[in-house]
Amino acid sequence: MEIRDKILVVEDEKSISNFICTILDANDYKYITAANGKKAYAIISSHCPDLIILDLGLPDIDGMEIIKMVRSWTTTPIIVVSARSREKDKVEALDLGADDYITKPFGTSELLARIRTAIRHTRTSILSKEIAQSGKYCVDGLVIDYDKYRVYIDGVDSNLTQHEFKLVALLGKFAGKVLTYDFIIRELWGSTQKTDNQILRVNMANIRRKIEKNPAQPRYIFTEVGVGYRMIEGD
Amino acid sequence: MCNKRKHKFLLNLKNCFIALGILIIAFIICFILSRFFHHANYCSLVFILAVILVSRFTGGYIYGSIMSIIAVFGIYIFKVNSEVFDYALNFIIMLIGSIVVSSLKIQVKKYAVIKDEIEKEKTKANLLRAISHDIRTPLSSILGSSTAYLDNCGKLSDEAKYTLVSDIKDEAVWLIRTVENLLSITRINDSFAKVDKNPEIIEEVLGDAASKFKRQFPNIELNIKVPDDILFVPMDALLIEQVLLNLLENAVIHGEKTTVIDIQADVNESFATITVSDNGNGLKDEMLSHLCGGNVISEDKELAGIKRNMGIGLSVCMTIIKAHGGNLRAYNKKDGGAVFEFTLPL
């Protein structure tokens, strides 16, 4: 028998949790629901779900608190559901350790794609934390060669500087996941300067001019306005 | 907060100068007149006038009242009266005069504020009417389709069920678009003047808007051109994205036969220009004239009804761009298709 991933849906709006569960059921996932934070917390500690879909606006506990509590003892992937135009919430949730976010209103395929990415990432990162940093990442004509510190587009070296390579490599390592500006800056520069992401963005603009045909219609690295960047995920 | 205090201080300083200026002029006039006349009755008249002028040109009661006291001393210097009673009378008359003028001025100010409020309420009411009217139709359709589905679940063919549900979906998509628009207006501060601007790279905002649009309309060809140099433009990125999405969706929905949309960003010394042009049917004359008037929410229900959502979408664009200090204009291309062009100050 195939082992089905168990997903916890934390959502207080019954109609929304209903349709999420219908989607999950139709796509061979097991699901549990929790309508408030306390119940969610109890289920997380007793059932150990493989993934948590978390609405930030719960009646009893702030969603951010739940992320903090869960992250203090487990790496179970968390996908945050939030309304658009609240990009600060998204950034905060991601920085607290949420794995991804999805914006209401969302479609079936978008939700399923996020779930697959999040589950795969925790699996690979547990098995091979180091392997991702060597070898190659290939997607759609783009090759990141971690051993040679080079990025190739359709076989042609794109002449990235060392810094630019580090940025692309980082995004490649977490392909499919949004990385916030703060996270990238901390990883690359080790600096805690919170507000200034201009250098990062200028770097990104330069990279796009080297690896994308049209920097305004990127194929590989996408901007999530107000949040950060996301590298396209390979198959 | 600090700014407010500074502003108040400057206002007080200005009032002081006005009061002082009028006082000095009054003294000079009295001095000159005293050379030509031997009696000094005119003096009290000059000072009464001075007090009234001060009350007129400064705010509140304080300056006028202080001026009345000083004016009594002025009259004393020119020795108009001999009795203490006369001075007291002069003072009372000037004080009453200044209070009356000040209170009149305060009333006028209040009236201007009320008028402004009424104007704002009127715009809001127009917007609300347009929205309610627009929202009712899809809601009725959703209610109708879902009731039809639930009540006749057993009797309907699969195809009929599919049609009903996809109708519900289409209407819901439309409703969400409308609500997103309304929400984005609430991001603009109450005075309809300020947005939270951050420097954004123009290609990132265009790119993100384009990929969101592509998800909805995968069959439309999008061409985006940006300058080779990295271009930072101060803006609220989410709001400008909303503008772009509105313009793109309008191009598809109202252009009817649109297949290609071009987006271009240009820059000169003081502002960036973003152009969205399509190869659809172009804009109708009445729409163009509405746009030129800067008034896209028509009170005329007919027009708002025919072009569902066009009104709200465009008026949101206009509001957002005005709040950024830019401009939105529209025209038709010679070879067909509509062009929307907006500027953002650098």
Side-chain angles (χ1 to χ4, degrees):
Chain A
M1 201 188 93
E2 194 189 348
I3 304 166
R4 300 197 297 171
D5 287 317
K6 197 179 351 173
I7 295 176
L8 170 65
V9 181
V10 189
E11 167 68 73
D12 60 320
E13 293 286 337
K14 202 151 187 307
S15 53
I16 293 190
S17 113
N18 259 348
F19 93 79
I20 294 180
C21 292
T22 312
I23 294 170
L24 293 178
D25 196 41
N27 286 278
D28 277 341
Y29 290 104
K30 277 203 275 184
Y31 62 85
I32 329 166
T33 56
N36 57 52
K38 284 202 186 87
K39 207 177 154 202
Y41 197 63
I43 292 176
I44 294 166
S45 35
S46 61
H47 284 66
C48 293
D50 295 290
L51 183 132
I52 302 163
I53 297 176
L54 174 68
D55 189 311
L56 287 180
L58 292 172
D60 53 347
I61 310 176
D62 183 12
M64 301 294 174
E65 288 302 317
I66 297 184
I67 300 176
K68 264 189 237 167
M69 286 194 287
V70 172
R71 273 293 166 268
S72 63
W73 56 276
T74 171
T75 55
T76 309
I78 301 175
I79 298 179
V80 167
V81 179
S82 87
R84 195 183 159 235
S85 73
R86 310 211 46 175
E87 71 275 30
K88 278 201 185 106
D89 285 358
K90 296 173 194 163
V91 175
E92 196 187 339
L94 290 171
D95 282 337
L96 279 176
D99 290 74
D100 209 338
Y101 70 84
I102 187 158
T103 312
K104 266 189 214 170
F106 50 83
T108 316
S109 51
E110 210 179 335
L111 177 67
L112 290 171
R114 297 292 158 87
I115 292 174
R116 273 195 302 269
T117 309
I119 288 182
R120 182 162 37 190
H121 266 291
T122 39
R123 298 273 151 81
T124 46
S125 71
I126 292 165
L127 292 175
S128 57
K129 220 165 193 171
E130 291 308 310
I131 293 173
Q133 279 292 42
S134 62
K136 281 177 183 171
Y137 177 76
C138 311
V139 58
D140 200 11
L142 169 92
V143 177
I144 305 174
D145 191 328
Y146 286 98
D147 299 322
K148 290 187 190 152
Y149 290 88
R150 288 267 165 248
V151 172
Y152 302 94
I153 301 296
D154 298 325
V156 183
D157 190 344
S158 48
N159 285 320
L160 298 186
T161 65
Q162 200 184 349
H163 239 102
E164 290 165 356
F165 174 80
K166 274 191 195 159
L167 179 47
V168 176
L170 183 71
L171 286 162
K173 186 179 162 193
F174 293 100
K177 229 179 113 163
V178 201
L179 304 185
T180 61
Y181 295 127
D182 276 359
F183 176 82
I184 298 174
I185 291 172
R186 242 181 295 131
E187 288 287 308
L188 293 189
W189 283 276
S191 115
T192 46
Q193 272 191 318
K194 271 222 151 181
T195 44
D196 189 31
N197 55 36
Q198 294 240 11
I199 307 167
L200 167 63
R201 299 168 71 183
V202 170
N203 264 302
M204 182 53 76
N206 285 327
I207 292 171
R208 286 215 172 103
R209 276 162 180 70
K210 288 178 184 174
I211 69 171
E212 306 277 6
K213 277 201 191 89
N214 181 351
Q217 284 174 298
R219 281 164 69 197
Y220 306 116
I221 301 173
F222 301 102
T223 312
E224 306 266 332
V225 165
V227 181
Y229 297 109
R230 185 200 296 268
M231 163 88 71
I232 187 179
E233 194 174 15
D235 296 319
Chain B
M1 206 58 212
C2 183
N3 235 341
K4 233 180 191 171
R5 210 173 287 164
K6 198 175 164 194
H7 179 75
K8 212 169 178 186
F9 175 74
L10 281 178
L11 202 72
N12 274 331
L13 204 68
K14 190 184 142 205
N15 284 341
C16 278
F17 274 116
I18 290 173
L20 206 66
I22 292 174
L23 189 68
I24 290 169
I25 292 169
F27 269 101
I28 292 171
I29 291 173
C30 281
F31 184 72
I32 294 169
L33 287 178
S34 69
R35 298 268 151 144
F36 297 102
F37 300 101
H38 294 292
H39 63 92
N41 293 337
Y42 52 84
C43 247
S44 23
L45 291 176
V46 169
F47 277 107
I48 289 173
L49 184 66
V51 169
I52 289 173
L53 284 176
V54 168
S55 308
R56 164 70 185 80
F57 289 109
T58 58
Y61 294 102
I62 303 166
Y63 291 96
S65 309
I66 295 173
M67 189 66 187
S68 314
I69 298 168
I70 298 172
V72 175
F73 283 106
I75 295 167
Y76 173 74
I77 290 168
F78 290 99
K79 303 239 183 308
V80 190
N81 307 309
S82 43
E83 303 281 337
V84 177
F85 173 75
D86 288 333
Y87 286 117
L89 193 67
N90 262 316
F91 173 67
I92 290 168
I93 290 172
M94 286 190 284
L95 195 64
I96 292 172
S98 91
I99 289 171
V100 168
V101 172
S102 300
S103 69
L104 271 179
K105 204 188 163 197
I106 288 169
Q107 260 180 8
V108 167
K109 252 189 194 164
K110 263 189 200 154
Y111 178 71
V113 172
I114 291 170
K115 206 179 154 199
D116 205 39
E117 288 283 305
I118 291 174
E119 206 49 48
K120 261 189 210 161
E121 286 302 317
K122 221 170 153 186
T123 333
K124 263 188 212 160
N126 274 347
L127 191 65
L128 263 182
R129 186 172 38 230
I131 293 156
S132 318
H133 184 76
D134 274 14
I135 281 180
R136 195 169 47 195
T137 321
L139 277 179
S140 328
S141 150
I142 287 175
L143 186 66
S145 304
S146 53
T147 320
Y149 186 102
L150 290 173
D151 290 352
N152 307 295
C153 201
K155 290 175 249 167
L156 291 172
S157 66
D158 276 358
E159 196 185 337
K161 281 183 190 168
Y162 184 83
T163 319
L164 284 176
V165 176
S166 49
D167 280 351
I168 293 176
K169 188 195 157 192
D170 289 346
E171 297 293 1
V173 166
W174 184 88
L175 276 175
I176 279 168
R177 230 167 22 223
T178 309
V179 173
E180 290 296 352
N181 267 321
L182 297 178
L183 276 177
S184 62
I185 289 191
T186 63
R187 275 172 72 96
I188 302 173
N189 281 353
D190 210 20
S191 53
F192 265 34
K194 281 219 179 109
V195 283
D196 209 6
K197 284 191 191 182
N198 283 309
E200 303 279 351
I201 298 183
I202 198 77
E203 71 209 34
E204 294 193 340
V205 180
L206 294 182
D208 198 36
S211 71
K212 279 186 185 143
F213 172 76
K214 271 277 179 192
R215 243 176 270 159
Q216 241 183 328
F217 301 95
N219 298 324
I220 304 288
E221 190 187 329
L222 263 187
N223 298 313
I224 309 181
K225 260 193 220 149
V226 291
D228 282 337
D229 296 326
I230 299 164
L231 174 59
F232 275 100
V233 183
M235 64 169 105
D236 181 322
L238 279 187
L239 288 180
I240 295 302
E241 227 181 82
Q242 186 70 45
V243 170
L244 287 164
L245 284 175
N246 282 349
L247 293 180
L248 289 171
E249 280 162 8
N250 277 349
V252 178
I253 295 167
H254 301 285
E256 282 165 12
K257 59 184 176 80
T258 305
T259 53
V260 184
I261 304 177
D262 293 299
I263 306 177
Q264 189 163 349
D266 293 300
V267 63
N268 69 17
E269 285 135 32
S270 52
F271 51 82
T273 309
I274 291 146
T275 320
V276 177
S277 56
D278 64 55
N279 64 347
N281 282 340
L283 295 157
K284 297 216 174 70
D285 286 345
E286 75 246 30
M287 203 62 217
L288 272 179
S289 60
H290 260 283
L291 283 169
C292 292
N295 176 22
V296 274
I297 310 169
S298 63
E299 288 187 43
D300 182 6
K301 256 189 199 156
E302 293 277 320
L303 193 70
I306 297 166
K307 295 267 170 193
R308 224 169 76 173
N309 200 30
M310 188 91 164
I312 298 174
L314 273 183
S315 68
V316 167
C317 292
M318 193 72 101
T319 313
I320 292 174
I321 287 162
K322 283 265 153 69
H324 276 82
N327 254 319
L328 172 71
R329 65 193 198 96
Y331 50 88
N332 280 324
K333 277 192 288 196
K334 273 180 201 134
D335 51 342
V339 183
F340 283 88
E341 187 183 283
F342 64 90
T343 56
L344 294 170
L346 291 177

